Amino acid sequence: MAMFDRKSVLVLGGSRGIGAAIVRRFAAEGAAVTFTYAGSREAALELARETGSTAVMTDSSDRDAVLARVRDMGALDVLVVNAGIAVFGDALDQDPDEIDRLFRINVLAPYHASVEAARRMPEGGRIIIMGSVNGDRMPVPGMASYALSKSALQGLARGLARDFGPRGITINVVQPGPIDTDANPEAGPMKELMHSFMALKRHGRPEEVAGMVAWLSGPEAGFVTGAMHTIDGAFGA
Ligand code: NDP
């Protein structure tokens, strides 16, 4: 029997990059996977066809839409909140509406989705939130809002672990360093600078992050909660 046979999994933000690798991993392990997308409809439909999963349009910046999506899933076994954005540039020049939208997607959606999911999760339920090593370390200018949003997830996991623990539900944050995706291509202009901070001079692969998510979602991680799990080639070391 595959590790996630018949388990019900929802991935918020699964159409591309790390999220798509997570969808592939759970689907390959027998789970019934639903994932959301916002802008990448074609990629989402193609991934759904490839993996036998279900793609649904849900914008993580819309709280009511996120809550409705989680409720629709019923008794979820695993929730993965992967959707996240970055806004780059001098903090003095940034549009405050864009910054608020970042916090809705990166912080408020993970919080509300986690609480709503926990309402209906059985004992043994798992919640995984995609943070970033930038929650621990922000070595470049122009990304304060992103760093703040990822640091906030640490408090979210520590606090909700206490609320959900008595019901046997775990919640953890995965903190990647540079991972080769559309958002941070290894072939991009930041490569040399990012690798200069790292012990392993390469970007990580989305599949490597998906492996950590799968482990945290599986039976061996039953005693792991309220914790940050860094996978960054020692970017933050
Ligand atoms: P990508 O930009 O490659 O993919 C982002 C995914 O999130 C897409 O599937 C996108 O869907 C979805 N998404 C974005 N905004 C929304 C929204 N409003 N509603 C629903 N879905 C949305 O990013 P990565 O794969 O690189 O990153 C995934 C996560 O990992 C993020 O939380 C990011 O902060 C984190 N991370 C990434 C690192 C990296 O180096 N790549 C490093 C550390 C953390 P769609 O295209 O359909 O809108």
Side-chain angles (χ1 to χ4, degrees), residues 12-20 35-41 43-44 57-62 66 81-86 101 105-106 129-134 146 149-150 153 174-185 194 203-204 206 209 231:
L12 296 181
S15 51
R16 294 181 294 113
I18 295 170
F35 68 92
T36 68
Y37 64 93
S40 304
R41 184 167 183 274
M57 153 68 190
T58 305
D59 185 341
S60 280
S61 71
D62 178 344
V66 170
V81 185
N82 170 73
I85 62 165
R101 180 167 178 273
I105 295 168
N106 289 16
I129 312 289
M130 201 54 64
S132 165
V133 68
N134 292 140
Y146 182 76
S149 74
K150 297 301 188 181
L153 298 176
V174 169
Q175 301 195 143
I179 305 298
D180 188 16
T181 66
D182 297 342
N184 186 3
M194 276 186 279
H203 277 42
V209 181
I231 171 167

Side-chain angles (χ1 to χ4, degrees), residues 192-208:
E192 298 303 330
L193 178 66
M194 276 186 279
H195 292 189
S196 73
F197 301 126
M198 299 164 74
L200 304 177
K201 306 290 185 192
R202 68 171 177 89
H203 277 42
R205 290 179 286 108
E207 296 74 23
E208 292 176 303

Side-chain angles (χ1 to χ4, degrees), residues 86-164:
V87 176
F88 302 100
D90 190 328
L92 304 187
D93 298 331
Q94 287 173 344
D95 175 353
D97 287 339
E98 250 193 284
I99 302 300
D100 285 4
R101 180 167 178 273
L102 178 147
F103 288 123
R104 287 202 300 278
I105 295 168
N106 289 16
V107 179
L108 299 182
Y111 180 84
H112 292 302
S114 298
V115 172
E116 195 59 32
R119 290 201 165 99
R120 3 186 108 61
M121 269 183 172
E123 185 163 344
R126 299 278 200 268
I127 300 171
I128 319 291
I129 312 289
M130 201 54 64
S132 165
V133 68
N134 292 140
D136 285 333
R137 182 179 192 222
M138 189 65 255
V140 295
M143 290 184 70
S145 56
Y146 182 76
L148 166 54
S149 74
K150 297 301 188 181
S151 298
L153 298 176
Q154 302 181 346
L156 178 158
R158 291 186 181 114
L160 290 182
R162 308 270 175 199
D163 292 307
F164 302 163

